Amino acid sequence: GQSLEQPSEVTAVEGAIVQINCTYQTSGFYGLSWYQQHDGGAPTFLSYNGLDGLEETGRFSSFLSRSDSYGYLLLQELQMKDSASYFCAVRDRGRRDDKIIFGKGTRLHILP
Amino acid sequence: DSGVTQTPKHLITATGQRVTLRCSPRSGDLSVYWYQQSLDQGLQFLIQYYNGEERAKGNILERFSAQQFPDLHSELNLSSLELGDSALYFCASSVDRGGQETQYFGPGTRLLVL
């Protein structure tokens, strides 16, 4: 089947670094994306990995290892406004279907 | 503001009824996606249209249908509504930059079925 696993909650301190992991199981992997969603808001795109390695966008970085079916989102210099839910998502283009699968989200709590 | 618009923002209706949710993508985006987000199920992909044609399909119920019109706006039709259909429904549009697909989400329509 198809599934994504990510931790339900993570807590970190303002100014610190936090890593949110995502493991996936798909039949036809076609890229891993990360989205941020604040309470009451819509998801917003953060990062995309189509190939192995690290992608950096400001304070956010994302990593992918296709051989390990694993990726992570790294948030540096945490700010209180980073308190939100973070979702990993995979495009699965199998032989018979094409769908997008989201993880259940990781709620990031930031302590002052 | 993502540039994607959705109407209405809120919708309250009764079981057994039918509703239509509307989405206008960002200017120039050809793809439109529909998602359902409920507390216990997270974000569920329903369906994708690309330039008027169905491109990808998720776990969309038979009671639900969607279409994309020539002007690229899309509508999601939900019929024979049940209490469990109460959720936030998001539309997203996307642009493909060399294989990287970035989705821009609208503000959502909150549906409450009583």
Side-chain angles (χ1 to χ4, degrees):
Chain A
Q2 302 147 326
S3 67
L4 271 74
E5 296 291 331
Q6 56 180 125
S8 58
E9 288 186 275
V10 171
T11 300
V13 178
E14 190 176 15
I17 300 173
V18 71
Q19 177 174 313
I20 299 173
N21 299 321
C22 175
T23 58
Y24 60 86
Q25 182 178 354
T26 62
S27 55
F29 176 82
Y30 196 83
L32 177 70
S33 299
W34 288 92
Y35 291 83
Q36 178 192 61
Q37 186 179 27
H38 287 96
D39 285 346
T44 56
F45 173 81
L46 291 177
S47 188
Y48 173 85
N49 294 78
L51 301 174
D52 292 350
L54 192 68
E55 294 287 338
E56 297 179 82
T57 310
R59 296 188 296 113
F60 296 168
S61 304
S62 59
F63 172 81
L64 174 65
S65 169
R66 288 174 296 171
S67 61
D68 295 322
S69 298
Y70 163 77
Y72 66 71
L73 178 70
L74 192 73
L75 295 81
Q76 303 182 72
E77 300 172 18
L78 285 172
Q79 302 175 11
M80 297 304 292
K81 67 178 182 180
D82 297 329
S83 294
S85 291
Y86 292 84
F87 295 87
C88 57
V90 167
R91 184 106 197 195
D92 188 354
R93 287 184 174 168
R95 271 191 186 179
R96 296 179 184 175
D97 58 11
D98 179 0
K99 55 178 66 176
I100 299 164
I101 307 160
F102 273 74
K104 291 192 181 295
T106 298
R107 186 147 189 103
L108 174 61
H109 303 280
I110 299 178
L111 304 176
Chain B
D1 184 359
S2 67
V4 177
T5 60
Q6 289 186 249
T7 56
K9 286 188 177 179
H10 303 275
L11 199 48
I12 301 175
T13 188
T15 54
Q17 295 298 304
R18 172 191 169 94
V19 297
T20 298
L21 312 184
R22 182 188 168 100
C23 169
S24 292
R26 295 185 329 148
S27 177
D29 285 358
L30 299 179
S31 276
V32 169
Y33 303 76
W34 285 98
Y35 294 90
Q36 179 192 57
Q37 186 173 38
S38 54
L39 284 174
D40 58 344
Q41 291 293 323
L43 205 60
Q44 298 286 321
F45 167 65
L46 296 178
I47 198 163
Q48 177 200 357
Y49 279 84
Y50 178 83
N51 203 20
E53 301 286 329
E54 183 182 305
R55 172 66 68 89
K57 203 166 186 176
N59 298 323
I60 187 167
L61 299 172
E62 286 191 10
R63 301 184 286 108
F64 296 1
S65 65
Q67 54 184 327
Q68 185 179 28
F69 295 87
D71 67 352
L72 300 178
H73 91 270
S74 178
E75 292 181 357
L76 178 67
N77 300 295
L78 315 176
S79 61
S80 303
L81 284 168
E82 302 175 359
L83 296 177
D85 298 327
S86 295
L88 198 51
Y89 291 84
F90 286 108
C91 160
S93 70
S94 76
V95 56
D96 191 323
R97 295 192 182 96
Q100 174 179 332
E101 188 178 55
T102 301
Q103 294 192 33
Y104 297 88
F105 282 74
T109 293
R110 188 172 294 279
L111 173 66
L112 180 60
V113 181
L114 300 176

